[in-house]
Amino acid sequence: KLPVDASIHKRAHTFFTNKAALDQIKKKIPMRMYLDHLGIQLGCVPSTQGLVHDWTNHFTDNWCHPNRLEILFFCNSNGVVIDASIPGDIQVLRPIQDGPVAQ
């Protein structure tokens, strides 16, 4: 673990040494574990946890928000576009069943 009063050169060396080691196994570990390890080794756990929290909130607010979802088309399991699912008005989805949708 890096001491708080380490020089900038020591901090840089520690960062790149740990990053190089983690890059060897990056595909085998979750990104959260990668960041947690860097935070522990560099003595900046609150910073890495704050960054993860900020990005998680950004993802939730912007990518998981139903008002920001725009469905352009549906595909079957082979990736072929199902034309019957594309309405004339892109804001209205056609039902996938005949008759009213149960409430």
Side-chain angles (χ1 to χ4, degrees):
K1 183 175 175 179
L2 190 64
V4 177
D5 59 347
S7 70
I8 189 72
H9 299 57
K10 178 68 174 167
R11 294 181 80 74
H13 176 70
T14 302
F15 171 79
F16 285 110
T17 301
N18 280 278
K19 183 180 179 312
L22 288 170
D23 283 347
Q24 299 292 319
I25 59 169
K26 188 180 350 185
K27 292 184 179 179
K28 297 177 185 172
I29 63 172
M31 184 53 78
R32 178 67 186 256
M33 186 182 292
Y34 182 96
L35 292 172
D36 286 345
H37 177 76
L38 276 179
I40 291 167
Q41 293 301 315
L42 299 175
C44 59
V45 171
S47 296
T48 56
Q49 287 179 348
L51 287 171
V52 169
H53 178 75
D54 290 347
W55 276 105
T56 303
N57 284 345
H58 177 76
F59 174 78
T60 302
D61 292 345
N62 293 292
W63 295 345
C64 296
H65 198 285
N67 290 340
R68 293 192 168 102
L69 177 65
E70 182 178 342
I71 299 174
L72 300 177
F73 54 84
F74 290 98
C75 297
N76 66 15
S77 59
N78 294 325
V80 177
V81 174
I82 302 171
D83 290 330
S85 67
I86 304 171
D89 180 2
I90 199 68
Q91 299 300 319
V92 179
L93 292 177
R94 291 184 180 162
I96 57 171
Q97 67 182 35
D98 287 334
V101 177
Q103 295 292 329

